[in-house]
């Protein structure tokens, strides 16, 4: 596929690198030559220096023959204009990054579609949804719900209290058990486990289960003593914090600590209809945190624009007794360091945004896609089509690529955990875990026969 990306910022650069490793024909447009010059020469990415809203620039980039055009510059108006022009030039699909929440309403979808924009993406909204979803379970690092919880993927850091340590997985989660371990992060290594693998202390285990068995999973991983989240402190009052505050469950009490006095005033206006308390100060100030009752706070979320500040603030909160900490880390170079320091949940807007864009390029029917940067993997919800390869044989005979695991499926509204003898049927929504970004190899199993031959 040919993909043209406008904007060599964090999201555009990350997305272009991801696409180039999947062997797509990728072109990156930016009017800043220095940003384009920073692109790693190890990636096969064509660069075009020019304004994304220039018809000449778009033509030079080959936009007319693009399967997908993505506008992810920092300027919303530039992204919208460039996407409209790209559609007019012949791009098959267009995506524009925005920062106006009003545009995301269902009532406006047809309006933007008529303009030539197929999809809108607001990274801060996506990040806030991830944060809120994670806060609902104080004892997990990551959570992903499919079909309203028919299936749930949980990322859990294992401590000495877990009952499932140091035992072969074949003895723990067989065909009749209500969970599957689909991946393990151990140090710098990611393991797609087999029956003889074991779980160890400090492993980050990714477990697929159904909503009804979440309490059981909490018990076997030894997290029953973790208090549920009721009181939350957010450090940093940017867009992500605002979206989180506006969507936070009513049973959670929220305080936002913001250093800038003018921004505090603006936050009070934006959040006037909520019960959010806005505090002017520095979230790293121990005296301020103690004054704001940090000892009775179950979750601390650091959302400033500085990764180092967020990491240090979460470390401070942990030392003061907070169990659940979340850090926004935009620089991917800091992610492994944050994990090694046992920070807690790491949020990265560009990987979240890239996941949502990437699913548009897959020819199979993909309803959801999530990038799990801690294990360098993706988890996707593929829908099996009539006579697709995945429906012809039991799972154990499909010949799935190494590093790929099917954790479960949803048939109708019922979540079903998958084992080697499971026969997938047309219409099933199948959860596929792919290490090292192998979605391109996996999608051929879910496409109609005529699209990939008899293989």
């Amino acid at each position: 596929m040919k993909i043209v990306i406008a904007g060599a910022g964090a999201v555009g650069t990350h997305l272009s690198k991801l696409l180039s490793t999947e062997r797509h024909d990728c072109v990156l447009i930016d009017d800043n030559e220095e940003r384009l010059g920073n692109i790693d020469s190890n990636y096969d990415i064509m660069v075009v220096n020019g304004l994304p809203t220039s018809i000449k620039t778009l033509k030079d980039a080959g936009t007319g023959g693009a399967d997908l055009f993505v506008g992810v510059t920092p300027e919303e108006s530039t992204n919208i204009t460039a996407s409209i022009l790209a559609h007019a030039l012949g791009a098959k699909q267009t995506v524009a990054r925005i920062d106006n929440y009003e545009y995301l309403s269902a009532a406006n979808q047809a309006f933007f579609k008529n303009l030539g924009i197929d999809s809108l993406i607001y990274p801060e909204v996506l990040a806030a949804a991830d944060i809120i979803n994670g806060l609902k379970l104080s004892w997990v690092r990551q959570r992903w719900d499919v079909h309203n919880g028919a299936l749930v993927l949980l990322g859990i850091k294992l401590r000495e209290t877990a009952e499932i340590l140091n035992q072969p997985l074949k003895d723990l989660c067989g065909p009749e058990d209500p969970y599957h371990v689909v991946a393990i992060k151990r140090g710098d290594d990611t393991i797609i486990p087999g029956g003889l693998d074991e779980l160890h202390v400090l492993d980050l285990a990714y477990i697929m289960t159904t909503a009804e068995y979440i309490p059981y999973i909490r018990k076997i991983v030894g997290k029953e003593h973790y208090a549920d989240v009721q009181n939350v402190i957010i450090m940093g009052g940017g867009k992500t914090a605002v979206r989180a505050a506006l969507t936070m469950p009513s049973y959670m009490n929220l305080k936002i600590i913001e250093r800038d006095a003018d921004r505090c005033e603006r936050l009070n206006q934006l959040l006037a209809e909520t019960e959010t308390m806005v505090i002017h100060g520095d979230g790293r100030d121990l005296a301020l945190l103690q004054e704001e009752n940090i000892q009775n706070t179950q979750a601390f979320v650091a959302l400033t624009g500085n990764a180092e500040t967020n990491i240090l603030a979460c470390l401070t909160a942990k030392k003061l007794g907070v169990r659940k900490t979340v850090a926004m880390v935009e620089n991917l170079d800091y992610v492994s360091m944050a994990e090694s320091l046992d920070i807690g949940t790491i949020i990265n807007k560009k990987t979240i945004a890239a996941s949502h864009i990437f699913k548009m390029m897959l020819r199979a029917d993909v309803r959801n896609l999530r990038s799990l940067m801690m294990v360098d993997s993706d988890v996707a919800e593929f829908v099996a089509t009539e006579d697709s390869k995945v429906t012809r044989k039991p799972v154990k005979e499909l010949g799935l690529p190494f590093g790929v695991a099917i954790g479960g499926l949803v048939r109708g509204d019922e979540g079903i955990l998958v084992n080697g003898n499971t026969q997938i049927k047309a219409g099933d929504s199948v959860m596929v875990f792919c290490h090292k970004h192998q979605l391109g190899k996996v999608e051929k199993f879910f496409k109609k026969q005529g699209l990939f031959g008899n293989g």
Side-chain angles (χ1 to χ4, degrees):
M1 293 181 72
K2 179 166 185 175
I3 300 97
V4 177
I5 301 170
V11 175
T13 301
H14 177 75
L15 182 61
S16 62
K17 290 178 179 179
L18 176 63
L19 296 176
S20 70
T21 59
E22 292 279 340
R23 302 184 183 278
H24 292 289
D25 181 7
C26 189
V27 183
L28 185 59
I29 301 172
D30 202 283
D31 61 351
N32 187 309
E33 198 167 358
E34 184 178 347
R35 278 198 294 265
L36 293 174
N38 291 331
I39 302 298
D40 193 331
S41 60
N42 292 324
Y43 293 94
D44 186 16
I45 303 168
M46 175 184 168
V47 297
V48 175
N49 182 217
L51 286 169
T53 52
S54 160
I55 293 175
K56 180 182 183 305
T57 299
L58 293 173
K59 287 182 175 179
D60 288 345
T63 303
D67 296 285
L68 179 65
F69 177 87
V70 182
V72 284
T73 76
E75 298 297 326
E76 175 185 78
S77 58
T78 298
N79 299 330
I80 290 174
T81 302
S83 296
I84 292 171
L85 292 173
H87 172 78
L89 288 170
K92 293 177 183 175
Q93 287 193 93
T94 62
V95 183
R97 177 181 179 174
I98 60 167
D99 55 20
N100 186 333
Y101 187 71
E102 176 192 8
Y103 293 166
L104 292 178
S105 71
N108 288 327
Q109 287 182 5
F111 172 78
F112 283 102
K113 183 75 173 177
N114 289 334
L115 289 176
I117 302 174
D118 297 290
S119 182
L120 298 171
I121 188 164
Y122 193 158
E124 289 79 9
V125 169
L126 299 175
D130 265 15
I131 291 167
I132 297 301
N133 206 29
L135 291 180
K136 291 175 183 176
L137 295 180
S138 62
W139 47 279
V140 306
R141 292 288 177 91
Q142 285 181 290
R143 170 180 172 173
W144 193 40
D145 292 274
V146 181
H147 286 261
N148 296 317
L151 284 176
V152 183
L153 180 68
L154 304 174
I156 305 168
K157 189 79 167 184
L158 300 179
R159 308 292 182 182
E160 293 84 352
T161 51
E163 301 175 7
I164 54 177
L165 300 175
N166 308 315
Q167 304 168 63
L169 289 179
K170 64 182 178 64
D171 297 336
L172 290 174
C173 43
E176 304 305 318
D177 289 298
Y179 69 98
H180 287 167
V181 179
V182 295
I184 303 167
K185 178 68 179 294
R186 182 172 298 152
D188 294 329
D189 298 324
T190 296
I191 301 165
I192 306 299
L196 297 178
D197 286 299
E198 300 178 352
L199 295 167
H200 297 164
V201 172
L202 299 184
D203 281 352
L204 179 59
Y206 284 85
I207 297 174
M208 185 77 73
T209 188
T210 56
E212 65 198 283
Y213 285 104
I214 289 177
Y216 174 72
I217 300 300
R218 184 176 189 171
K219 174 182 178 296
I220 64 175
V221 299
K223 303 279 187 175
E224 289 181 301
H225 60 291
Y226 277 57
D228 292 332
V229 174
Q230 290 185 312
N231 300 316
V232 182
I233 291 177
I234 292 180
M235 181 179 77
K239 293 177 184 177
T240 305
V242 171
R243 297 317 317 171
L246 291 171
T247 54
M248 190 160 286
S250 58
Y251 65 84
M252 292 185 188
N253 305 307
L254 175 62
K255 297 176 181 178
I256 297 178
I257 301 177
E258 167 59 44
R259 294 181 66 180
D260 184 88
D262 291 338
R263 182 60 182 172
C264 286
E265 214 172 296
R266 179 61 177 151
L267 287 171
N268 279 319
Q269 295 171 0
L270 292 170
L271 304 176
E273 295 184 8
T274 74
E275 295 184 5
T276 303
M277 182 182 294
V278 178
I279 299 158
H280 180 217
D282 188 335
R284 296 167 296 179
D285 184 334
L286 289 176
L288 175 62
L289 290 175
Q290 289 167 341
E291 184 181 327
E292 295 305 329
N293 206 18
I294 189 74
Q295 63 272 20
N296 291 317
T297 297
Q298 293 81 39
F300 182 89
V301 184
L303 300 178
T304 77
N306 186 290
E308 298 99 317
T309 297
N310 294 339
I311 292 169
L312 289 171
C314 285
L315 285 173
T316 300
K318 274 189 169 289
K319 287 182 179 179
L320 293 172
V322 179
R323 286 274 193 187
K324 178 86 172 181
T325 57
V326 181
M328 181 78 78
V329 180
E330 285 302 282
N331 187 337
L332 289 174
D333 294 335
Y334 285 105
V335 170
S336 59
M337 178 186 75
E339 170 61 17
S340 68
L341 292 171
D342 205 13
I343 289 299
T345 301
I346 309 297
I347 296 289
N348 182 279
K349 287 185 293 186
K350 62 188 175 188
T351 59
I352 295 171
S355 294
H356 281 256
I357 296 168
F358 190 77
K359 74 177 181 182
M360 296 184 66
M361 300 162 29
L362 297 171
R363 291 186 174 93
D365 187 353
V366 181
R367 300 288 169 83
N368 289 294
L369 173 64
R370 175 63 54 87
S371 177
L372 304 175
M373 60 183 173
M374 298 312 304
V375 283
D376 193 20
S377 303
D378 301 295
V379 59
E381 179 188 358
F382 283 94
V383 178
T385 56
E386 196 71 45
D387 199 35
S388 57
K389 189 174 182 179
V390 77
T391 64
R392 298 181 197 168
K393 300 176 181 178
V395 168
K396 65 184 178 184
E397 298 176 17
L398 289 175
L400 294 169
F402 179 77
V404 172
I406 294 179
L409 61 85
V410 179
R411 183 171 294 157
D413 292 322
E414 181 187 3
I416 302 170
L417 295 177
V418 168
N419 60 59
N421 296 317
T422 301
Q423 180 69 55
I424 295 169
K425 298 180 180 180
D428 287 348
S429 290
V430 184
M431 304 311 303
V432 184
F433 190 97
C434 304
H435 184 43
K436 295 288 186 183
H437 310 292
Q438 299 188 78
L439 290 169
K441 295 179 182 178
V442 172
E443 69 168 332
K444 67 180 182 180
F445 288 86
F446 289 87
K447 293 187 293 187
K448 290 183 180 180
Q449 182 179 6
L451 295 178
F452 62 84
N454 295 321

